[in-house]
Amino acid sequence: MAVPNAVGESVLAGGGERKRKRGSEPPLAKWRTEGEQRIYSSRLIEALRRVCQSSDSAPSASSSDHVRSCAVREAADRVLAVSARGRTRWSRAILSGRTLKHRVRPKARRPKPVSTACVARAAAQRRKPPALEKKTRVLGRLVPGCRKLSLPSLLEEASDYITALEMQVRAMSAIAEAFSAAGSASLPPTHANPMRTL
Amino acid sequence: MSSRRNRVSEEEINELISKLQSLLPETRRRGAGRASAAKLLKETCSYIRSLNREVDDLSDRLSALMATLDSNSAEAEIIRSLLPS
């Protein structure tokens, strides 16, 4: 599927482009382009319309604001993950499951057993001070699908995830503004809105 | 990618962390020297959390707005045109 060229990135979509250079510069810049945001926004609006329609046809099930808001959040995340074009772990994790975000996480994670495997791993990570260990783990939980990642990969994923989230915030804010504007524009004349020249 | 996956040196970690530093809003503004890796990781975590919160709030807002707009396709077209496109 042809994708409008944002910043001179490869036009081919999906994993079919030339070999991904995982070590070198991550394409963070694409999340900051207007083109990418525009694409995201229009896809999101399509998705929102579907959410709207489905909540209309099944009023009993999704009349609750919270349920609809969750549906909106999920749609937004899914569209965001699609925009990543399968290049990142977090996006693939979102698309394949929506696992942990909205479900109750089992509190009792098995405590780290002092086994040979663990000792070996601990030895490999010996150079990392324990303070980093814990924070690395927290970060791994925050980025979807990145719990067991090594620190370098985790940082790459986190950078991409953060930049994508920033775009998501920008896009959703713009859409919310547009919705409010459209909403106030459609108010009946009795409200005497002087700004009706929208 | 580094072939020494099992022995990530402090150096490499610091390098990656400083890349991350450029993404975090506060450190961008401050332009300070390298903060400690632990501090940066902590800031990264709280930044991600706050971004997630923002998205949740926006989802609430959008959901409420959608309810009032109600699947009026004409309005959806207005919305489309209001977007910078």
Side-chain angles (χ1 to χ4, degrees), chain A residues 5-27:
Chain A
N5 208 342
V7 210
E9 293 264 310
S10 168
V11 191
L12 297 171
E17 45 193 340
R18 58 189 87 100
K19 187 153 166 71
R20 282 182 276 150
K21 299 182 288 194
R22 293 207 59 205
S24 56
E25 17 112 26

Side-chain angles (χ1 to χ4, degrees), chain A residues 9 12 23 25 27 48-49 52 64-65 111-112 122 125 127-128 136 160 178 183 185 189 196:
Chain A
E9 293 264 310
L12 297 171
E25 17 112 26
L48 289 180
R49 218 190 287 176
C52 219
S64 139
D65 284 339
K112 290 222 154 167
Q125 292 175 343
R127 305 223 185 161
K128 226 190 309 177
T136 306
D160 195 76
R196 272 196 81 242

